[in-house]
Amino acid sequence: MMSDEQRGDWEIEPQFLVDLLDQGDEGIVLLDCREREEYEIARIDGSLLIPMSELQGRVAELEPYADAEITVVCHLGVRSLQVVQWLRQRGFAGSRSLRGGIDRWSREIDSSVPTY
């Protein structure tokens, strides 16, 4: 079980992510770990889709981003935390989960992104 302190280090608030993106930070990668069907319904523009179910076989695609800040996105923030834990165990120390997932992103940041 993850402690609250650990979760705090492993998650990023939607507004903080917006601020980083608005600054034009080239070192940020948005990784969407939902299934393709979910991604087709709602997504953050510019995100890379690698479903959690395919991650183990496709992790090499993330190697160019080993030193980047990887923000992992799912529906509500549960799967993305699991993916962050998995990535950090493999050396992707800059990976974080979008707190509240795409659902919170839609409600607080970009209402043009559908909820489901």
Side-chain angles (χ1 to χ4, degrees):
M1 188 79 174
M2 193 176 301
S3 71
D4 288 341
E5 183 177 318
Q6 189 178 40
R7 276 184 63 131
D9 182 42
W10 288 24
E11 292 183 299
I12 185 171
E13 293 290 333
Q15 186 59 56
F16 187 67
L17 177 59
V18 168
D19 294 344
L20 290 175
L21 293 171
D22 285 349
Q23 292 171 13
D25 192 331
E26 298 294 320
I28 297 177
V29 176
L30 296 175
L31 171 63
D32 197 314
C33 70
R34 297 173 301 143
E35 295 300 317
R36 181 165 299 282
E37 297 79 24
E38 294 173 281
Y39 183 81
E40 294 300 326
I41 294 168
R43 67 184 159 274
I44 300 173
D45 288 337
S47 59
L48 169 66
L49 175 66
I50 301 180
M52 184 176 171
S53 62
E54 300 174 16
L55 188 58
Q56 188 170 359
R58 296 179 59 190
V59 70
E61 294 175 40
L62 295 175
E63 289 301 325
Y65 311 114
D67 296 326
E69 291 184 42
I70 300 174
T71 298
V72 185
V73 178
C74 69
H75 186 204
L76 298 171
V78 177
R79 283 176 285 179
S80 56
L81 266 176
Q82 293 172 334
V83 168
V84 166
Q85 182 175 18
W86 190 86
L87 287 171
R88 285 186 174 218
Q89 289 171 348
R90 282 148 188 85
F92 294 90
S95 57
R96 293 182 288 187
S97 170
L98 179 63
R99 186 177 297 222
I102 194 86
D103 185 74
R104 186 171 172 198
W105 181 267
S106 177
R107 289 184 284 113
E108 294 181 11
I109 305 300
D110 185 354
S111 62
S112 71
V113 175
T115 56
Y116 64 98

